[in-house]
């Protein structure tokens, strides 16, 4: 007779059955015939079977080995089947258990289930009934284990999801924090650049060098919240200093250490250095930025302020690298204007000397007028810049006479209308020369 399934299918089923782990069963009964009968029947079903006549011996194997099903008689001399099941369940809660009893009653069944038995057999029973009960208990055990494994897997996956969710939330929080820091840093940079633009524009309108330095010191003291701001400058005509205090009293410590700070600032790439000092009874931060003209150090800015938070410190350091640059641009403008003024004045002076040399002007007349004009400007309380401008204008007021013919300039006696018109042209000629 041919098999119902192909030979390769049967072979595969045999291999799968052989590969599947065998269930382990412990049988406990004080009657040898019952033990051997149960052992033989269960072995035919493919189970691994251990038999004991004493429940205490069986407990030792249950505690030491992974047992799937315990089959025990109800009445035994040393320990009852119910006590054996209860004790075994305490050790292995997943152990399947079957109680064999000769007293079939509802009370016995309820008591067996209360003590942890999963099922029971009533003597006498058939091998088929034994096979069904053992299969049912094993199936229920597998279902319980599968359910617990599924619950554990779900809980594990839920924990993993929660961890991943927390990790994503933390990454999102950090990203938002970094973006917020970058946004604030960018806003600070924009504010700093706007501040430098306004400072550069303000300094470009200032012609008086000393007032330029004092204005810068005042602005920096306010912007950096400094108790004192100090600027030192040496353009070759002596050291100029300007200080602005926002706290009463003086700070000789800043004056004493500004030179050392600026020397250190010259050695670093961005030209800025800092240190911590004690002033006004509390720790203060001293900042210094070197001022350069044509890549040569000519002075610097030093500030004394309360120790800031780290974020402000970094942004303010960037700003302090720009301040000397803005001041340097204004100073270069000052230097170039002064050089142009000196050149123009030199040319005009030589013209005046030439006029005086040829007798067209009274010797020393222009210098005398310049001294008188400067003295009047001083009495009026005008600024040093305006006094210098008035003195220069007075010194050059007759420079246009270089364009007037000698016969008109040296003519004795009254001039006619044409000659007077020529004389009146000398201010225009002078303005054209000085332009």
């Amino acid at each position: 007779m041919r098999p119902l399934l192909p030979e390769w299918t049967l072979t595969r089923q045999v291999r799968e059955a052989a590969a599947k782990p065998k269930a382990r069963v412990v049988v406990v009964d004080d009657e040898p015939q019952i033990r051997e009968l149960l052992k033989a029947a269960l072995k035919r079903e493919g189970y691994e079977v251990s038999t004991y006549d004493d429940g205490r011996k069986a407990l030792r194997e249950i505690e030491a080995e992974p047992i799937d099903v315990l089959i025990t008689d109800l009445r035994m001399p040393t320990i009852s089947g119910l006590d054996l099941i209860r004790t075994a369940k305490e050790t292995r809660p997943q152990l399947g258990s079957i109680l064999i009893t000769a007293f079939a009653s509802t009370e016995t069944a309820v008591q067996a289930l209360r003590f942890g038995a999963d099922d029971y057999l009533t003597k006498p029973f058939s091998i088929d009934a034994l096979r069904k009960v053992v299969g049912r208990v094993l199936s229920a055990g597998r279902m319980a284990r599968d359910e617990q494994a599924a619950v554990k897997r779900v809980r594990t996956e839920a924990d993993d999801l929660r961890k991943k969710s927390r990790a994503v939330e933390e990454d999102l929080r950090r990203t938002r924090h970094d973006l917020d820091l970058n946004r604030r840093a960018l806003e600070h940079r924009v504010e700093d650049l706007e501040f430098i633009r306004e400072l550069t524009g303000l300094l470009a309108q200032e012609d008086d060098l000393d007032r330029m330095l004092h204005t810068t010191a005042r602005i920096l003291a306010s912007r950096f919240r400094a108790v004192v701001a100090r600027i030192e400058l040496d353009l070759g005509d002596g050291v100029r200093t300007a200080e602005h205090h926002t706290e009463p009293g003086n700070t000789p410590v800043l004056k004493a250490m500004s030179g050392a700070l600026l020397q250190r600032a010259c050695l670093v790439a961005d030209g800025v250095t800092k240190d911590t000092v004690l002033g006004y009874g509390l720790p203060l931060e001293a900042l210094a930025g070197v001022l350069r003209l044509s890549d040569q150090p000519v002075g610097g800015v030093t500030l004394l302020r309360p120790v800031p938070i780290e974020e402000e410190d970094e942004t303010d350091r960037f700003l302090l690298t720009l301040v000397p640059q803005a001041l340097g641009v204004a100073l270069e403008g000052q230097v170039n204007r002064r050089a142009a003024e000196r050149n123009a004045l030199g040319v005009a002076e030589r013209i005046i000397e030439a006029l005086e040399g040829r007798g067209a002007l009274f010797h020393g007349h222009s210098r005398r007028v310049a001294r008188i004009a400067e003295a009047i400007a001083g009495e009026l309380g005008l600024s040093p810049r305006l006094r210098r401008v008035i003195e220069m204008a007075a010194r050059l007021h007759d420079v246009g006479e270089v364009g007037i013919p000698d016969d008109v300039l040296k003519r004795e006696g009254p001039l006619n209308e044409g000659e007077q018109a020529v004389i009146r042209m000398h201010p225009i000629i002078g303005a054209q020369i000085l332009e």
Side-chain angles (χ1 to χ4, degrees), residues 145-159:
R145 287 192 296 273
D146 291 344
E147 182 180 353
Q148 289 183 349
V151 170
K152 183 178 180 181
R153 185 166 59 253
V154 170
R155 287 177 178 173
T156 301
E157 292 175 355
D159 289 341

Side-chain angles (χ1 to χ4, degrees), residues 103-347:
F103 308 96
S105 68
T106 303
E107 182 181 353
T108 304
V110 171
Q111 190 176 12
L113 296 175
R114 188 171 64 244
F115 274 69
D118 296 294
D119 214 326
Y120 66 93
L121 287 166
T122 303
K123 294 178 181 179
F125 54 85
S126 66
I127 297 302
D128 186 59
L130 172 66
R131 183 172 60 250
K132 289 180 179 180
V133 170
V134 172
R136 192 162 57 240
V137 170
L138 284 173
S139 178
R142 281 193 295 270
M143 289 179 62
R145 287 192 296 273
D146 291 344
E147 182 180 353
Q148 289 183 349
V151 170
K152 183 178 180 181
R153 185 166 59 253
V154 170
R155 287 177 178 173
T156 301
E157 292 175 355
D159 289 341
D160 291 342
L161 286 175
R162 280 193 292 270
K163 290 179 182 178
K164 290 178 181 178
S165 177
R166 285 195 294 268
V168 170
E169 289 176 358
E170 179 63 20
D171 289 342
L172 182 60
R173 187 193 64 79
R174 290 177 180 173
T175 301
R176 286 174 176 169
H177 178 69
D178 293 342
L179 288 175
D180 188 52
L181 289 180
N182 292 336
R183 178 184 58 78
R184 290 203 299 268
L186 182 60
E187 289 175 351
H188 288 156
R189 289 292 173 93
V190 172
E191 291 173 358
D192 291 343
L193 293 174
E194 181 65 21
F195 170 79
I196 291 299
R197 186 188 68 80
E198 293 177 357
L199 178 62
T200 303
L202 180 65
L203 296 180
Q205 300 173 8
E206 183 58 69
D207 292 329
D208 187 275
L209 182 57
D210 292 327
R211 191 160 57 239
M212 177 190 296
L213 298 181
H214 281 89
T215 298
T216 306
R218 175 178 54 79
I219 294 174
L220 294 183
S222 174
R223 171 59 182 80
F224 285 90
R225 294 181 294 280
V227 294
V228 60
R230 177 182 174 88
I231 300 177
E232 299 180 14
L233 178 65
D234 186 359
L235 295 178
D237 55 352
V239 178
R240 287 183 170 86
T241 61
E243 285 191 5
H244 183 82
H245 299 258
T246 59
E247 296 286 345
N250 53 30
T251 51
V253 63
L254 181 61
K255 181 178 180 180
M257 70 184 307
S258 62
L261 284 170
L262 291 174
Q263 286 181 358
R264 284 167 47 189
C266 291
L267 302 177
V268 295
D270 61 358
V272 175
T273 189
K274 65 178 181 178
D275 204 346
T276 303
V277 298
L278 187 64
Y280 296 101
L282 70 160
L284 298 173
E285 182 183 64
L287 283 168
V290 65
L291 174 61
R292 299 177 185 273
L293 287 180
S294 302
D295 293 330
Q296 296 299 317
V298 295
V301 177
T302 50
L303 305 165
L304 203 61
R305 66 174 184 177
V307 178
I309 61 176
E310 183 177 354
E311 181 181 342
E312 290 180 341
D313 188 31
E314 289 303 317
T315 57
D316 286 352
R317 185 184 183 96
F318 168 74
L319 178 58
L320 195 56
T321 64
L322 301 179
V323 168
Q325 297 178 29
L327 190 56
V329 170
L331 289 175
E332 285 186 355
Q334 279 268 352
V335 171
N336 292 336
R337 282 196 299 272
R338 290 194 173 193
E341 289 175 358
R342 284 195 300 270
N343 291 336
L345 183 59
V347 172

Side-chain angles (χ1 to χ4, degrees), residues 46-66:
Y47 301 122
E48 292 185 7
V49 185
S50 302
T51 61
Y52 295 94
D53 60 354
D54 187 341
R56 290 174 298 186
K57 296 178 183 178
L59 281 174
R60 285 195 287 271
E61 182 178 352
I62 292 171
E63 291 174 355
E65 301 292 337

